[in-house]
Short mmCIF file of all heavy atoms in Angstrom, two decimals:
data_model
loop_
_atom_site.label_atom_id
_atom_site.label_comp_id
_atom_site.label_asym_id
_atom_site.label_seq_id
_atom_site.Cartn_x
_atom_site.Cartn_y
_atom_site.Cartn_z
N GLU A 1 -18.08 -15.43 4.25
CA GLU A 1 -18.78 -16.60 3.73
C GLU A 1 -17.86 -17.46 2.84
O GLU A 1 -18.31 -18.11 1.92
CB GLU A 1 -20.03 -16.18 2.95
CG GLU A 1 -21.03 -15.44 3.81
CD GLU A 1 -22.21 -14.89 3.02
OE1 GLU A 1 -22.17 -14.90 1.78
OE2 GLU A 1 -23.17 -14.46 3.67
N GLY A 2 -16.58 -17.39 3.10
CA GLY A 2 -15.63 -18.21 2.37
C GLY A 2 -15.39 -17.78 0.94
O GLY A 2 -14.67 -18.44 0.20
N ASN A 3 -15.96 -16.67 0.51
CA ASN A 3 -15.85 -16.27 -0.89
C ASN A 3 -14.54 -15.56 -1.23
O ASN A 3 -14.13 -15.56 -2.36
CB ASN A 3 -17.01 -15.33 -1.26
CG ASN A 3 -18.33 -16.03 -1.21
OD1 ASN A 3 -18.39 -17.24 -1.40
ND2 ASN A 3 -19.39 -15.30 -0.95
N SER A 4 -13.94 -14.93 -0.27
CA SER A 4 -12.79 -14.09 -0.58
C SER A 4 -11.63 -14.33 0.36
O SER A 4 -11.06 -13.40 0.89
CB SER A 4 -13.21 -12.62 -0.53
OG SER A 4 -14.20 -12.38 -1.47
N ASP A 5 -11.27 -15.56 0.57
CA ASP A 5 -10.14 -15.86 1.43
C ASP A 5 -8.87 -15.49 0.67
O ASP A 5 -8.52 -16.12 -0.32
CB ASP A 5 -10.15 -17.34 1.80
CG ASP A 5 -9.13 -17.66 2.88
OD1 ASP A 5 -8.27 -16.81 3.15
OD2 ASP A 5 -9.21 -18.75 3.46
N ARG A 6 -8.20 -14.43 1.11
CA ARG A 6 -7.04 -13.91 0.40
C ARG A 6 -5.71 -14.53 0.87
O ARG A 6 -4.66 -14.12 0.44
CB ARG A 6 -6.96 -12.38 0.59
CG ARG A 6 -8.17 -11.63 0.09
CD ARG A 6 -8.03 -11.35 -1.40
NE ARG A 6 -8.94 -10.32 -1.88
CZ ARG A 6 -10.20 -10.51 -2.21
NH1 ARG A 6 -10.74 -11.69 -2.07
NH2 ARG A 6 -10.93 -9.52 -2.69
N ARG A 7 -5.79 -15.47 1.80
CA ARG A 7 -4.55 -16.06 2.30
C ARG A 7 -3.92 -16.95 1.22
O ARG A 7 -4.60 -17.78 0.63
CB ARG A 7 -4.83 -16.87 3.56
CG ARG A 7 -5.21 -15.98 4.74
CD ARG A 7 -5.61 -16.79 5.92
NE ARG A 7 -6.92 -17.40 5.62
CZ ARG A 7 -7.64 -18.07 6.49
NH1 ARG A 7 -7.22 -18.24 7.70
NH2 ARG A 7 -8.79 -18.59 6.14
N ALA A 8 -2.63 -16.78 1.02
CA ALA A 8 -1.92 -17.58 0.01
C ALA A 8 -1.67 -18.98 0.56
O ALA A 8 -1.34 -19.14 1.74
CB ALA A 8 -0.61 -16.91 -0.35
N PRO A 9 -1.78 -20.00 -0.29
CA PRO A 9 -1.46 -21.37 0.15
C PRO A 9 0.01 -21.47 0.56
O PRO A 9 0.86 -20.69 0.11
CB PRO A 9 -1.73 -22.22 -1.10
CG PRO A 9 -2.62 -21.39 -1.96
CD PRO A 9 -2.27 -19.95 -1.65
N LYS A 10 0.31 -22.43 1.43
CA LYS A 10 1.67 -22.60 1.96
C LYS A 10 2.70 -22.74 0.83
O LYS A 10 3.78 -22.15 0.89
CB LYS A 10 1.71 -23.81 2.88
CG LYS A 10 3.03 -23.99 3.57
CD LYS A 10 3.00 -25.16 4.53
CE LYS A 10 4.35 -25.31 5.18
NZ LYS A 10 4.41 -26.47 6.07
N ALA A 11 2.38 -23.50 -0.20
CA ALA A 11 3.32 -23.71 -1.31
C ALA A 11 3.65 -22.40 -2.02
O ALA A 11 4.80 -22.16 -2.42
CB ALA A 11 2.74 -24.71 -2.32
N VAL A 12 2.67 -21.53 -2.16
CA VAL A 12 2.90 -20.24 -2.81
C VAL A 12 3.80 -19.38 -1.94
O VAL A 12 4.72 -18.71 -2.44
CB VAL A 12 1.55 -19.52 -3.08
CG1 VAL A 12 1.76 -18.11 -3.58
CG2 VAL A 12 0.72 -20.33 -4.06
N LYS A 13 3.58 -19.37 -0.63
CA LYS A 13 4.42 -18.60 0.28
C LYS A 13 5.86 -19.10 0.24
O LYS A 13 6.81 -18.31 0.21
CB LYS A 13 3.89 -18.69 1.71
CG LYS A 13 2.65 -17.88 1.95
CD LYS A 13 2.25 -17.97 3.40
CE LYS A 13 1.01 -17.16 3.67
NZ LYS A 13 0.62 -17.22 5.09
N GLU A 14 6.03 -20.43 0.25
CA GLU A 14 7.39 -21.00 0.22
C GLU A 14 8.10 -20.63 -1.09
O GLU A 14 9.29 -20.30 -1.08
CB GLU A 14 7.32 -22.51 0.40
CG GLU A 14 6.96 -22.91 1.81
CD GLU A 14 6.75 -24.41 1.97
OE1 GLU A 14 6.95 -25.16 0.99
OE2 GLU A 14 6.37 -24.81 3.08
N TYR A 15 7.39 -20.69 -2.21
CA TYR A 15 7.99 -20.32 -3.50
C TYR A 15 8.43 -18.85 -3.47
O TYR A 15 9.53 -18.50 -3.92
CB TYR A 15 7.00 -20.54 -4.64
CG TYR A 15 7.56 -20.11 -5.98
CD1 TYR A 15 8.36 -20.98 -6.72
CD2 TYR A 15 7.32 -18.84 -6.49
CE1 TYR A 15 8.90 -20.59 -7.94
CE2 TYR A 15 7.85 -18.43 -7.70
CZ TYR A 15 8.64 -19.32 -8.42
OH TYR A 15 9.18 -18.93 -9.62
N ALA A 16 7.59 -17.98 -2.93
CA ALA A 16 7.91 -16.55 -2.87
C ALA A 16 9.13 -16.29 -1.99
O ALA A 16 9.95 -15.42 -2.29
CB ALA A 16 6.71 -15.76 -2.36
N ARG A 17 9.26 -17.04 -0.91
CA ARG A 17 10.42 -16.87 -0.03
C ARG A 17 11.71 -17.31 -0.74
O ARG A 17 12.76 -16.69 -0.59
CB ARG A 17 10.23 -17.68 1.26
CG ARG A 17 9.25 -17.04 2.22
CD ARG A 17 9.20 -17.80 3.55
NE ARG A 17 8.12 -17.27 4.36
CZ ARG A 17 7.01 -17.93 4.64
NH1 ARG A 17 6.82 -19.15 4.19
NH2 ARG A 17 6.07 -17.37 5.37
N LYS A 18 11.63 -18.38 -1.52
CA LYS A 18 12.80 -18.89 -2.22
C LYS A 18 13.14 -18.07 -3.46
O LYS A 18 14.28 -18.04 -3.91
CB LYS A 18 12.58 -20.35 -2.63
CG LYS A 18 12.56 -21.31 -1.47
CD LYS A 18 12.27 -22.72 -1.93
CE LYS A 18 12.13 -23.66 -0.75
NZ LYS A 18 11.68 -25.00 -1.16
N ASN A 19 12.13 -17.43 -4.04
CA ASN A 19 12.32 -16.64 -5.28
C ASN A 19 11.76 -15.23 -5.10
O ASN A 19 10.75 -14.87 -5.71
CB ASN A 19 11.60 -17.34 -6.45
CG ASN A 19 12.07 -18.75 -6.63
OD1 ASN A 19 13.13 -19.00 -7.16
ND2 ASN A 19 11.27 -19.70 -6.17
N PRO A 20 12.40 -14.42 -4.28
CA PRO A 20 11.85 -13.08 -4.02
C PRO A 20 11.85 -12.22 -5.28
O PRO A 20 12.77 -12.29 -6.10
CB PRO A 20 12.77 -12.50 -2.95
CG PRO A 20 14.03 -13.30 -3.04
CD PRO A 20 13.65 -14.66 -3.57
N HIS A 21 10.81 -11.44 -5.44
CA HIS A 21 10.67 -10.55 -6.59
C HIS A 21 11.28 -9.20 -6.24
O HIS A 21 11.00 -8.64 -5.18
CB HIS A 21 9.19 -10.37 -6.93
CG HIS A 21 8.94 -9.37 -8.00
ND1 HIS A 21 9.18 -9.63 -9.33
CD2 HIS A 21 8.50 -8.08 -7.95
CE1 HIS A 21 8.89 -8.55 -10.05
NE2 HIS A 21 8.46 -7.61 -9.22
N SER A 22 12.12 -8.69 -7.11
CA SER A 22 12.68 -7.36 -6.85
C SER A 22 12.10 -6.38 -7.86
O SER A 22 11.87 -6.72 -9.02
CB SER A 22 14.20 -7.39 -6.96
OG SER A 22 14.58 -7.75 -8.28
N MET A 23 11.86 -5.19 -7.39
CA MET A 23 11.31 -4.17 -8.27
C MET A 23 12.38 -3.70 -9.26
O MET A 23 13.56 -3.59 -8.91
CB MET A 23 10.84 -2.96 -7.44
CG MET A 23 9.68 -3.26 -6.52
SD MET A 23 8.16 -3.60 -7.41
CE MET A 23 7.79 -1.98 -8.04
N ALA A 24 11.96 -3.42 -10.47
CA ALA A 24 12.88 -2.89 -11.46
C ALA A 24 13.16 -1.42 -11.14
O ALA A 24 12.52 -0.82 -10.28
CB ALA A 24 12.26 -3.01 -12.85
N ASP A 25 14.13 -0.85 -11.82
CA ASP A 25 14.41 0.57 -11.62
C ASP A 25 13.18 1.39 -11.97
O ASP A 25 12.49 1.11 -12.96
CB ASP A 25 15.60 1.01 -12.48
CG ASP A 25 16.91 0.42 -11.99
OD1 ASP A 25 16.97 0.10 -10.79
OD2 ASP A 25 17.85 0.29 -12.80
N TRP A 26 12.91 2.40 -11.17
CA TRP A 26 11.76 3.27 -11.39
C TRP A 26 12.21 4.45 -12.23
O TRP A 26 13.09 5.20 -11.84
CB TRP A 26 11.21 3.74 -10.05
CG TRP A 26 9.90 4.44 -10.18
CD1 TRP A 26 9.72 5.78 -10.29
CD2 TRP A 26 8.61 3.85 -10.24
NE1 TRP A 26 8.38 6.07 -10.41
CE2 TRP A 26 7.68 4.90 -10.39
CE3 TRP A 26 8.14 2.55 -10.20
CZ2 TRP A 26 6.31 4.67 -10.47
CZ3 TRP A 26 6.78 2.33 -10.28
CH2 TRP A 26 5.89 3.38 -10.42
N SER A 27 11.61 4.60 -13.37
CA SER A 27 11.97 5.68 -14.28
C SER A 27 11.49 7.02 -13.73
O SER A 27 10.35 7.16 -13.31
CB SER A 27 11.34 5.45 -15.65
OG SER A 27 11.47 6.60 -16.45
N GLN A 28 12.37 8.01 -13.76
CA GLN A 28 12.00 9.35 -13.32
C GLN A 28 10.96 9.98 -14.25
O GLN A 28 10.28 10.91 -13.88
CB GLN A 28 13.24 10.25 -13.24
CG GLN A 28 14.22 9.82 -12.16
CD GLN A 28 13.61 9.93 -10.76
OE1 GLN A 28 12.93 10.88 -10.45
NE2 GLN A 28 13.86 8.93 -9.94
N ALA A 29 10.84 9.43 -15.46
CA ALA A 29 9.86 9.95 -16.42
C ALA A 29 8.45 9.46 -16.10
O ALA A 29 7.47 9.99 -16.62
CB ALA A 29 10.25 9.53 -17.84
N SER A 30 8.37 8.45 -15.25
CA SER A 30 7.06 7.90 -14.90
C SER A 30 6.31 8.89 -14.01
O SER A 30 6.83 9.37 -13.01
CB SER A 30 7.24 6.58 -14.15
OG SER A 30 5.98 6.10 -13.73
N ARG A 31 5.09 9.22 -14.41
CA ARG A 31 4.28 10.16 -13.62
C ARG A 31 3.07 9.44 -13.07
O ARG A 31 2.37 8.74 -13.80
CB ARG A 31 3.83 11.33 -14.48
CG ARG A 31 5.00 12.16 -14.99
CD ARG A 31 4.54 13.34 -15.78
NE ARG A 31 3.55 12.94 -16.78
CZ ARG A 31 2.79 13.79 -17.43
NH1 ARG A 31 2.88 15.07 -17.21
NH2 ARG A 31 1.92 13.36 -18.32
N SER A 32 2.85 9.61 -11.81
CA SER A 32 1.66 9.01 -11.19
C SER A 32 1.23 9.86 -10.01
O SER A 32 2.00 10.68 -9.50
CB SER A 32 1.94 7.57 -10.74
OG SER A 32 2.93 7.57 -9.74
N HIS A 33 0.01 9.66 -9.63
CA HIS A 33 -0.54 10.41 -8.50
C HIS A 33 -1.57 9.53 -7.83
O HIS A 33 -2.50 9.05 -8.47
CB HIS A 33 -1.19 11.71 -9.01
CG HIS A 33 -1.96 12.45 -7.96
ND1 HIS A 33 -1.35 13.27 -7.06
CD2 HIS A 33 -3.28 12.47 -7.67
CE1 HIS A 33 -2.28 13.80 -6.27
NE2 HIS A 33 -3.45 13.31 -6.61
N VAL A 34 -1.39 9.27 -6.55
CA VAL A 34 -2.34 8.47 -5.80
C VAL A 34 -3.00 9.39 -4.78
O VAL A 34 -2.33 10.17 -4.12
CB VAL A 34 -1.64 7.30 -5.06
CG1 VAL A 34 -2.62 6.52 -4.21
CG2 VAL A 34 -0.94 6.40 -6.07
N SER A 35 -4.30 9.30 -4.69
CA SER A 35 -5.02 10.18 -3.78
C SER A 35 -6.14 9.43 -3.08
O SER A 35 -6.57 8.38 -3.53
CB SER A 35 -5.61 11.36 -4.57
OG SER A 35 -6.18 12.29 -3.70
N HIS A 36 -6.58 9.99 -1.98
CA HIS A 36 -7.70 9.43 -1.24
C HIS A 36 -8.47 10.57 -0.60
O HIS A 36 -7.96 11.68 -0.47
CB HIS A 36 -7.23 8.43 -0.18
CG HIS A 36 -6.36 9.06 0.87
ND1 HIS A 36 -6.87 9.64 2.01
CD2 HIS A 36 -5.02 9.23 0.93
CE1 HIS A 36 -5.89 10.11 2.74
NE2 HIS A 36 -4.75 9.88 2.10
N MET A 37 -9.69 10.27 -0.20
CA MET A 37 -10.50 11.29 0.45
C MET A 37 -9.93 11.59 1.83
O MET A 37 -9.37 10.71 2.49
CB MET A 37 -11.95 10.82 0.57
CG MET A 37 -12.65 10.71 -0.77
SD MET A 37 -14.34 10.08 -0.62
CE MET A 37 -15.16 11.48 0.14
N HIS A 38 -10.06 12.83 2.26
CA HIS A 38 -9.57 13.23 3.58
C HIS A 38 -10.71 13.55 4.54
O HIS A 38 -10.47 14.02 5.65
CB HIS A 38 -8.64 14.44 3.45
CG HIS A 38 -7.39 14.12 2.70
ND1 HIS A 38 -6.31 13.49 3.28
CD2 HIS A 38 -7.05 14.30 1.40
CE1 HIS A 38 -5.37 13.32 2.38
NE2 HIS A 38 -5.79 13.79 1.23
#
């Protein structure tokens, strides 16, 4: 119903292509756990 269109506008896509984001170094001290039902 038009409420949740997640597509990025063309200008946003172009900016992201010209200015790619790189992930910072991942600290080995960082603890996380992702889970889902099986």
Side-chain angles (χ1 to χ4, degrees):
E1 299 174 349
N3 294 333
S4 299
D5 190 347
R6 301 275 197 277
R7 291 174 289 187
K10 185 177 179 183
V12 172
K13 286 183 180 181
E14 288 174 3
Y15 178 84
R17 285 186 188 110
K18 290 177 185 173
N19 303 283
H21 174 76
S22 62
M23 295 292 290
D25 290 335
W26 190 265
S27 169
Q28 293 297 318
S30 176
R31 296 183 311 166
S32 63
H33 171 81
V34 177
S35 186
H36 62 89
M37 292 177 71
H38 294 280

